[in-house]
Amino acid sequence: MPKGMVTVPFNPQVINTGSKIVLIDTGFGPTPNAPVGKLIPNMTAAGIDPKAVDIVIISHLHPDHANGIKLADGSLAFPNAEIKVRRRTGRSG
């Protein structure tokens, strides 16, 4: 491993299919005084209303992919979205 800080870039993806707005993963969610949890402000800056998201696909349930499903007050960040998570198949991982 390299010495010092290792940067692992990860960005949730928003896809406009023409009929649906799909979000893949939600990031860490609101995290005070941290360089993470910026999905909602960044979506808003890009002109995407979180209420307009139709489908949220969570690739896996690690905090950096799923914790952004809720806001700091515990309410849903994407209140109108259908949430999809893969079914566990019995394999580890």
Side-chain angles (χ1 to χ4, degrees), residues 14-23 48 52-56 80-82 84:
V14 178
I15 302 165
N16 183 341
T17 70
S19 62
K20 302 274 185 194
I21 302 294
V22 180
L23 173 63
I48 304 166
V53 174
D54 298 294
I55 300 169
V56 175
N80 300 315
E82 179 180 2
K84 296 186 173 275

Side-chain angles (χ1 to χ4, degrees), residues 16-81:
N16 183 341
T17 70
S19 62
K20 302 274 185 194
I21 302 294
V22 180
L23 173 63
I24 301 175
D25 288 332
T26 62
F28 270 110
T31 307
N33 303 314
V36 297
K38 309 294 186 207
L39 178 61
I40 299 292
N42 287 339
M43 287 177 65
T44 302
I48 304 166
D49 183 349
K51 293 177 184 163
V53 174
D54 298 294
I55 300 169
V56 175
I57 299 169
I58 305 293
S59 64
H60 61 284
L61 295 175
H62 288 169
D64 59 331
H65 294 262
N67 279 3
I69 202 75
K70 289 189 176 182
L71 300 174
D73 67 3
S75 64
L76 290 175
F78 310 97
N80 300 315

